[in-house]
């Protein structure tokens, strides 16, 4: 329900930008990722990574941050055991095939697997202070009283994770809290400490925890 009146989502849905379509693909990917479970059910996991690949190709940061969240989620919940699961490798390799093809074409035609990286590096080298002002976008996006509910919901989720950390591998609720928290922290860290700049639309990768914790 929050999506239906969230001004940022409504505003950027009416503009010819890649942010909303990439977010749609990433959210569908997150659903399939959680549905695939600890055993990485081949069909669901393959679809998840495939959707994530298309999201990455449409808007790099959204796909990258969702992918990084998946990676840390798997490390935290399964440690190194996922490396022994064939379905992880099968689904993962099939899913990232579009990105592999994209990188190969870049290398052949442009001489670099990811040409934008050099542009980003040059731009980042010119920036100084960390962009802590990014945090101010959260109350701006949610507005009161939703921002208050978001703070309360975030505190409950963090407290629940601390108390039931040993239940993460068995509890769907805890797993949901963990993945949402990763979306939130990685997006903020990426903008504050790496990009060192932000606009409201740059926070689309954390729109899921904004909605979930507020709810």
């Amino acid at each position: 329900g929050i999506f239906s009146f969230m001004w940022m989502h409504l505003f950027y849905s009416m503009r010819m930008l890649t942010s909303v379509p990439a977010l749609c693909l990433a959210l569908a990917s997150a659903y399939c990722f959680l549905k695939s479970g600890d055993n990485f059910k081949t069909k669901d996991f393959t679809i998840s990574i495939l959707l994530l690949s298309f999201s990455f190709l449409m808007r790099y940061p959204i796909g990258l941050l969702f992918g990084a969240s998946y990676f840390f989620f798997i490390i935290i919940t399964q440690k190194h055991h996922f490396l022994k699961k064939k379905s992880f490798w099968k689904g993962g390799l099939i899913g990232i095939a579009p990105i592999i093809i994209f990188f190969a074409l870049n290398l052949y035609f442009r001489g670099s697997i990811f040409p934008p990286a050099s542009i980003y590096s040059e731009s980042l080298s010119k920036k100084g202070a960390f962009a802590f002002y990014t945090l101010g976008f959260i109350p701006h996006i949610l507005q009161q009283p939703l921002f208050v509910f978001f703070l309360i919901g975030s505190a409950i989720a963090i407290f629940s994770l601390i108390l039931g950390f040993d239940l993460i591998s068995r509890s769907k609720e805890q797993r949901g809290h963990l993945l949402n928290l990763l979306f939130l922290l990685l997006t903020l860290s990426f903008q504050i400490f790496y990009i060192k700049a932000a606009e409201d639309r740059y926070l689309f990768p954390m729109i899921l925890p904004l909605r979930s914790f507020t709810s």
Side-chain angles (χ1 to χ4, degrees):
I2 292 177
F3 272 138
S4 65
F5 62 83
M6 183 176 283
W7 72 265
M8 185 174 72
H9 184 253
L10 295 174
F11 177 75
Y12 287 109
S13 295
M14 301 300 293
R15 301 184 66 189
M16 297 297 291
L17 296 173
T18 56
S19 302
V20 172
L23 175 66
C24 180
L25 290 169
L27 293 177
S29 168
Y31 170 78
C32 293
F33 175 75
L34 286 173
K35 189 179 176 183
S36 69
D38 286 336
N39 293 320
F40 304 105
K41 289 186 233 180
T42 304
K43 179 181 177 181
D44 293 322
F45 190 64
T46 301
I47 293 174
S48 172
I49 304 304
L50 194 60
L51 290 171
L52 188 67
S53 294
F54 291 138
S55 177
F56 174 84
L57 294 176
M58 188 169 286
R59 185 154 186 88
Y60 306 136
I62 292 180
L64 177 66
L65 289 168
F66 268 73
S69 299
Y70 294 171
F71 176 75
F72 285 110
F73 178 86
I74 293 171
I75 293 293
I76 292 171
T77 57
Q78 299 199 36
K79 298 182 175 63
H80 64 281
H81 301 297
F82 70 96
L83 296 172
K84 302 176 183 178
K85 298 179 179 179
K86 293 181 180 179
S87 55
F88 169 80
W89 294 105
K90 182 178 179 181
L93 289 173
I94 295 174
I96 64 170
I99 295 179
I100 294 174
I101 295 171
F102 172 70
F103 284 164
L105 291 174
N106 278 341
L107 185 62
Y108 181 78
F109 290 106
R110 306 288 296 278
S112 170
I113 64 170
F114 192 55
S118 59
I119 300 174
Y120 293 153
S121 298
E122 183 180 352
S123 176
L124 291 172
S125 65
K126 298 177 182 178
K127 295 178 180 176
F130 295 133
F132 286 108
Y133 67 84
T134 302
L135 298 172
F137 282 115
I138 299 177
H140 175 62
I141 292 169
L142 290 176
Q143 299 292 316
Q144 291 186 351
L146 293 183
F147 177 61
V148 176
F149 294 148
F150 167 76
L151 293 178
I152 296 172
S154 300
I156 292 172
I158 293 171
F159 187 65
S160 176
L161 279 173
I162 293 173
L163 288 183
F165 192 78
D166 58 329
L167 300 176
I168 287 179
S169 61
R170 302 190 300 274
S171 171
K172 290 184 178 180
E173 182 179 5
Q174 297 289 66
R175 292 163 69 88
H177 288 334
L178 176 60
L179 191 57
N180 273 315
L181 196 60
L182 287 170
F183 287 146
L184 183 70
L185 294 178
L186 289 179
T187 302
L188 289 175
S189 298
F190 182 73
Q191 299 300 152
I192 294 172
F193 301 112
Y194 183 69
I195 299 298
K196 298 179 183 177
E199 295 180 15
D200 47 18
R201 63 191 176 97
Y202 295 172
L203 301 185
F204 264 123
M206 56 183 257
I207 206 168
L208 189 58
L210 288 181
R211 178 199 67 88
S212 299
F213 291 155
T214 302
S215 299

